[in-house]
Amino acid sequence: MSFTLAIVGRPNVGKSTLFNRLVGKRLALVDDQPGVTRDLREGEARLGDLRFTVIDTAGLEEATDESLQGRMRRLTERAVEMADVCLFVIDARTGVTPTDEVFAEILRKKSAHVLLAANKAEGRAGESGLLEAYSLGLGEPLALSAEHGEGMADLLQALIPLA
Ligand code: GDP
Ligand code: MG
């Protein structure tokens, strides 16, 4: 059985970088799919022996009339509905921000399975942010570097029980 993973989190934490790493060149195919909105990109991910659907939540970066918080809530709730599991990403270099805390609250209220990741964790600059992530109440954070491909084995281990 396959599953759907939604990558959620505030702008600039590295969601799309992780999406691209998981999906690679197969994205070109899904871009043309009907029903794929600009705000949610869907692709077929490969990680180790796992194959699953991954959703990248975007659309928070653009300036519109709708508030960032309103869009965050709407997009995150939609992604949660579509997904079997959410990967909530924070920036390990920045640490936990007030916006991250709003996301965490939305995700804690939804009953979907949530995994927490602290991205940009390569090197030592992410160490304190990784520790801060525990305060979100979403369990043990995975230390990832989407850009450098670090932590992918840990992500795989966390996803295997869900497959
Ligand atoms: P999104 O807005 O959450 O989709 O974030 P992006 O994937 O667009 O990445 C935002 C910025 O963070 C870009 O400049 C990326 O190159 C950078 N970035 C993403 N992943 C990493 C990482 O693992 N380490 C570092 N140092 N930078 C990263
Ligand atoms: Mg993005």
Side-chain angles (χ1 to χ4, degrees):
M1 207 196 76
S2 192
F3 64 95
T4 299
L5 173 77
I7 306 174
V8 300
R10 65 177 178 79
N12 214 37
V13 295
K15 298 181 299 298
S16 298
T17 305
L18 180 60
F19 176 90
N20 290 337
R21 179 167 286 282
L22 293 171
V23 170
K25 295 203 172 106
R26 293 175 295 284
L27 173 64
L29 295 171
V30 298
D31 253 354
D32 295 333
Q33 271 181 17
V36 176
T37 69
R38 201 178 38 130
D39 289 347
L40 296 176
R41 285 197 302 168
E42 198 178 292
E44 287 309 314
R46 278 188 207 179
L47 188 59
D49 290 334
L50 281 191
R51 303 282 181 275
F52 54 95
T53 303
V54 61
I55 297 169
D56 181 18
T57 51
L60 299 175
E61 299 83 357
E62 302 147 40
T64 68
D65 290 341
E66 194 184 350
S67 72
L68 176 66
Q69 276 221 12
R71 261 180 294 164
M72 274 172 48
R73 195 165 290 278
R74 186 169 52 78
L75 276 177
T76 305
E77 286 177 352
R78 235 168 79 211
V80 168
E81 275 167 27
M82 291 170 71
D84 301 301
V85 55
C86 287
L87 182 66
F88 172 40
V89 183
I90 70 156
D91 181 331
R93 297 185 167 224
T94 310
V96 172
T97 72
T99 312
D100 292 328
E101 282 167 353
V102 174
F103 264 105
E105 200 193 318
I106 297 171
L107 290 168
R108 277 196 307 263
K109 281 183 186 156
K110 300 278 151 190
S111 57
H113 201 87
V114 181
L115 295 174
L116 174 62
N119 188 44
K120 311 192 187 182
E122 78 275 3
R124 302 205 59 178
E127 282 175 5
S128 67
L130 182 65
L131 289 176
E132 270 180 48
Y134 282 91
S135 72
L136 291 167
L138 290 167
E140 187 181 346
L142 296 161
L144 302 184
S145 173
E147 197 156 274
H148 299 273
E150 295 174 13
M152 296 301 131
D154 292 337
L155 178 58
L156 175 62
Q157 288 309 312
L159 291 174
I160 282 174
L162 306 167

